[in-house]
Amino acid sequence: VGELALIEAIRQALSAPGERVVRSTGDDAAVVRSRPFAVTSIDTVADGVHFDLATHSPADVGHKALATALSDLAAMGAEPGEAYVALALPPDLGDGDVLELVRALADLAGETGTTVAGGDVVSAPGLVVTVSVTGWADSEDRLVGRDGTRIGDVVGVTGELGGAAAGLALLGGLETDLGDEVKDSLLTRHRRPTARLAAGRALAAAGATAMIDLSDGLATDARHLARASGLALEIDAGTLPMADGVAEVAAAAGRNELELTAAGGDDYELLFTIPADCWAAAEATAGVSLTRLGRALEGTGVQFPGADAVDLDAVRGYEHL
Amino acid sequence: VGELALIEAIRQALSAPGERVVRSTGDDAAVVRSRPFAVTSIDTVADGVHFDLATHSPADVGHKALATALSDLAAMGAEPGEAYVALALPPDLGDGDVLELVRALADLAGETGTTVAGGDVVSAPGLVVTVSVTGWADSEDRLVGRDGTRIGDVVGVTGELGGAAAGLALLGGLETDLGDEVKDSLLTRHRRPTARLAAGRALAAAGATAMIDLSDGLATDARHLARASGLALEIDAGTLPMADGVAEVAAAAGRNELELTAAGGDDYELLFTIPADCWAAAEATAGVSLTRLGRALEGTGVQFPGADAVDLDAVRGYEHL
C-alpha cells in the first residue's frame, strides 16, 4: 500500500468524531467547539525505550501511546476530548502492523470517549508514536494541578503498584512459579496501561488538592508533587498496595519488592493529596480502590519510613516537561 | 547534562506564557482558557526526510518544526495559541544542539504569539520533532476549510513558489551562477519556512472560500483542495509566481522550472479560492503579494494549461491525515 492508501485506511479505522468536533481529519487542522478550559498534554513512546517491538505487539504500542497521554488528563481531573496522533514509521514496519497499532489506539479512544481528530505519518529509523490529547473542563476549580497540597492532607493512591515493573521483568525472561493468570495480569499491566480517567475526575470533585500520574514511579513522582506544592510528603512504605505477584517477581529477581512498587514506573495510577475529611467521599466515588499512604508535612522531599534499606533514587531515562 | 537538567534548561529557554495560559510546563498537562473554537494540527519532521542534520542546523530544525505546524493554522485562518513539542533525540545529538533547536523554536513562538505550553523528551535512534499547535477563533465563519470552493471562484496563491525546492537542490551541491544574495534567499526559503499566519487570517476575513498550505507542492495540494470541494481547478501554468533564482536552478539541474514551482514542496505559501469580487479586499489586507492562478470549474482534479510537457504527479513521500 502506498502512503496515501495507508492514510485512507487509517482514517477508516477511526470512529466517528464526537459532537463537538466540527472538522477532523482531512483538512489542514481540526476544529473543535470549546468548553471553557482546554487541558492538553503531549506524550511520546519510542521503540526500545517505552516498549520493545520484540515483546509488544503493534496493538500494545497503539494502546500504550494513547493511554499514557490520557493518563495526564486523568491526573488533572479533565474529561478527555480529542487526540492527535503522529506516527514515525520505520521501513520494516508493515502496513498491516500500522493498522493494528491504529485500530488498538482507536479502540481505546472509543472506550474513553476520545476523538482521534488529526494526525501525521512520516518515515523514521525507529517507531516513535506521539500523541497530543486535549481534555476539557467547565471550571478551573474542577482541575487539579501538582501544586495544591496543604499541610496535613492525606496522601493517597489509586489501585495497585509494582505490576508494570513486574510485568517488564517477566518480559525480560525472568522465571517464576507464578500461575498463568497472575502472570498475564502483570504482563497486561505493563503492555496495556489504564488511564484512571473516571477516578481522576471523581478525586477532583471530592476535593483532591494535588494529583500526578505515576509514570516514572511513586518515589520520583511523589518528589515532583512535593516540590510543586512546596512541602514534604511522608509515605509509609508498609502501606503501599502491591499488585498480586509482585512479591514473587521481586524474590525471583533477587530484588526488594519496594523497588518494584515504589520505584518501578509505568503503573499509571494516580497519586493524590486530599483533606482527611474528604477521604470518605473520594472512596465512595473513585470507582477503584484507594489506599492511604501517609500525609503532607512542612519541609521538602519525600520521606519513606520503612524503606531505608532500598535505593529509590533511580530516576527513569525520560521525563515530561 | 542529565535528562532532568536538560528539561530545566529547555523550560528556561521558553518565553513567558500568554495570558490565557493558566498552567503550562511543569504539571501533568497545560490548562488554557478557551475561545469558542479550538483549531489543532500535529506535524512531525524527521531527520533524513524533512531535513538533514548534515545541511540543517539544529536551529533550522526547531524553526521548521514549529513553522510547518503553524502553517496549518494559517491555512485555516486561525490565530495561533499554544504549541506542544515532543523531541525524540538520538544519542549523538548533544545537549547544546538540543538547546539551540529549542531556542530557535521558542524565538519563532515569540514572533508569532505562540506559547510553548508543554512537551516531552525521549530517546530514539534518529531526531524526530513533533509539534502539536492549537489556534483559536471566535466564530466558525472566520475559519476556512478545504471544502468551500464554489464554481467561478478565483484561485490565488500568496508569495512566490519554487524557492524551497530550488534551495533543496542547492543544498544537494548543485552548481549555479547565482549571486550569494539570491542563493541565500533560496536556502533560507528551504531551511526556515514562513507560516503565512497574518495572510491566512486576512484571506479568511476577506471571504476566501477554501484554503490549504503548500507543503507537498502546488499540484498535489491543489488536488486535495479540488477533491475536498468536489470540483475542478484550472491553474494557468504561465501565471505561477516563481521565486528569484528558481529558473537558474532549474536550468542548472536540467529540469523544467515548472517542476520546481508546481511540484516542489515546502514553500508553505497559501493556495486559496475566493469570489472574484473579494479579490481587491484580499489584496489590500493580505500583507503579502497575491497572484491569480485561475478559477474553479465543474469537474474533478486540476488542469494545468501550459504545463502539458511536465509530469506534476510526483507525490511526496509523506502526507497529512
Side-chain angles (χ1 to χ4, degrees):
Chain A
V1 205
E3 201 83 19
L4 288 169
L6 175 62
I7 285 170
E8 190 48 41
I10 289 174
R11 274 189 199 147
Q12 285 172 14
L14 303 177
S15 310
E19 58 179 16
R20 307 183 73 86
V21 178
V22 180
R23 290 178 180 274
S24 63
T25 60
D27 218 305
D28 290 290
V31 179
V32 177
R33 196 168 284 119
S34 303
R35 289 168 56 191
F37 290 88
V39 183
T40 301
S41 181
I42 192 166
D43 256 287
T44 297
V45 294
D47 190 15
V49 182
H50 308 89
F51 62 86
D52 191 324
L53 281 174
T55 52
H56 293 68
S57 69
D60 292 336
V61 177
H63 176 101
K64 184 166 187 174
L66 179 57
T68 58
L70 287 173
S71 181
D72 287 315
L73 298 187
M76 301 298 291
E79 283 181 56
E82 297 76 45
Y84 303 88
V85 180
L87 304 174
L89 305 175
D92 58 344
L93 195 73
D95 287 343
D97 290 336
V98 177
L99 282 176
E100 183 190 319
L101 185 160
V102 170
R103 284 194 188 111
L105 191 153
D107 285 347
L108 179 60
E111 288 161 24
T112 56
T114 306
T115 295
V116 179
D120 198 7
V121 178
V122 307
S123 309
L127 179 60
V128 178
V129 183
T130 299
V131 179
S132 176
V133 285
T134 295
W136 300 94
D138 289 331
S139 134
E140 209 180 330
D141 306 343
R142 298 307 282 263
L143 296 172
V144 183
R146 298 178 178 178
D147 55 358
T149 306
R150 286 170 299 206
I151 289 169
D153 281 353
V154 173
V155 179
V157 72
T158 62
E160 297 173 334
L161 300 176
L168 180 60
L170 293 175
L171 284 180
L174 185 74
E175 299 283 339
T176 67
D177 293 335
L178 289 172
D180 284 348
E181 201 177 325
V182 173
K183 217 164 156 173
D184 283 352
S185 85
L186 294 173
L187 291 172
T188 300
R189 191 74 208 222
H190 179 75
R191 288 183 175 132
R192 299 273 182 139
T194 299
R196 295 287 187 201
L197 288 160
R201 291 201 296 278
L203 289 165
T209 51
M211 196 148 58
I212 188 171
D213 72 318
L214 298 181
S215 53
D216 296 338
L218 177 70
T220 300
D221 291 318
R223 270 199 295 269
H224 293 323
L225 197 151
R227 189 170 54 231
S229 287
L231 38 67
L233 299 182
E234 184 185 63
I235 293 178
D236 178 352
T239 62
L240 298 182
M242 207 181 321
D244 265 7
V246 170
E248 291 82 351
V249 167
R255 295 168 69 183
N256 188 307
E257 59 198 35
L258 276 175
E259 281 178 41
L260 299 184
T261 46
D266 288 331
D267 279 325
Y268 295 101
E269 297 294 353
L270 299 176
L271 180 75
F272 60 94
T273 57
I274 194 165
D277 58 7
C278 298
W279 184 267
E283 236 173 2
T285 55
V288 60
S289 65
L290 302 182
T291 304
R292 281 176 196 251
L293 304 181
R295 62 204 177 100
L297 312 169
E298 266 188 89
T300 58
V302 180
Q303 301 156 26
F304 272 102
D308 308 332
V310 187
D311 177 15
L312 301 177
D313 279 330
V315 173
R316 298 272 304 260
Y318 62 102
E319 179 51 61
H320 303 274
L321 275 181
Chain B
V1 205
E3 199 85 19
L4 288 170
L6 176 61
I7 285 170
E8 191 47 42
I10 289 174
R11 274 189 198 144
Q12 285 172 14
L14 304 177
S15 310
E19 59 179 17
R20 307 184 72 87
V21 178
V22 180
R23 289 178 180 274
S24 64
T25 60
D27 218 304
D28 290 289
V31 179
V32 178
R33 195 168 285 119
S34 303
R35 288 168 56 191
F37 291 88
V39 182
T40 302
S41 181
I42 192 165
D43 257 285
T44 297
V45 294
D47 190 14
V49 182
H50 308 89
F51 61 86
D52 190 324
L53 281 174
T55 52
H56 293 69
S57 70
D60 291 336
V61 176
H63 177 101
K64 184 167 188 174
L66 179 57
T68 59
L70 288 173
S71 181
D72 288 316
L73 298 187
M76 301 298 291
E79 282 181 57
E82 297 76 45
Y84 304 88
V85 180
L87 304 174
L89 305 175
D92 57 344
L93 195 74
D95 287 343
D97 290 335
V98 177
L99 282 176
E100 183 190 319
L101 186 161
V102 170
R103 284 192 188 113
L105 191 153
D107 285 348
L108 179 59
E111 288 161 23
T112 56
T114 306
T115 295
V116 179
D120 198 9
V121 178
V122 307
S123 309
L127 179 60
V128 178
V129 183
T130 298
V131 178
S132 176
V133 285
T134 295
W136 300 94
D138 288 331
S139 134
E140 210 180 328
D141 307 344
R142 297 306 282 263
L143 295 172
V144 182
R146 297 178 178 178
D147 56 358
T149 306
R150 286 170 300 207
I151 289 170
D153 281 352
V154 172
V155 179
V157 73
T158 61
E160 297 173 334
L161 301 176
L168 180 60
L170 293 174
L171 284 181
L174 184 75
E175 298 284 340
T176 66
D177 293 336
L178 290 171
D180 284 348
E181 200 177 324
V182 174
K183 217 165 156 173
D184 282 351
S185 85
L186 294 174
L187 292 171
T188 299
R189 192 71 208 225
H190 179 77
R191 288 183 174 131
R192 300 272 182 140
T194 300
R196 295 287 187 200
L197 288 159
R201 290 202 297 278
L203 289 165
T209 51
M211 196 147 60
I212 188 171
D213 71 319
L214 298 181
S215 53
D216 296 337
L218 177 70
T220 299
D221 290 319
R223 271 199 295 269
H224 293 323
L225 198 151
R227 191 171 50 232
S229 287
L231 39 66
L233 300 182
E234 184 184 63
I235 293 178
D236 178 352
T239 62
L240 298 183
M242 208 181 321
D244 265 7
V246 170
E248 290 81 352
V249 167
R255 296 168 68 183
N256 187 307
E257 59 199 35
L258 277 176
E259 282 178 40
L260 300 184
T261 46
D266 287 331
D267 279 325
Y268 295 100
E269 297 293 353
L270 299 176
L271 179 74
F272 60 94
T273 58
I274 194 166
D277 58 7
C278 298
W279 184 267
E283 237 174 1
T285 55
V288 59
S289 65
L290 302 182
T291 304
R292 281 178 196 249
L293 304 181
R295 62 202 177 102
L297 312 168
E298 265 188 89
T300 58
V302 181
Q303 301 157 26
F304 271 102
D308 308 333
V310 187
D311 177 15
L312 300 178
D313 279 330
V315 172
R316 297 273 305 261
Y318 62 101
E319 177 52 60
H320 303 274
L321 274 181

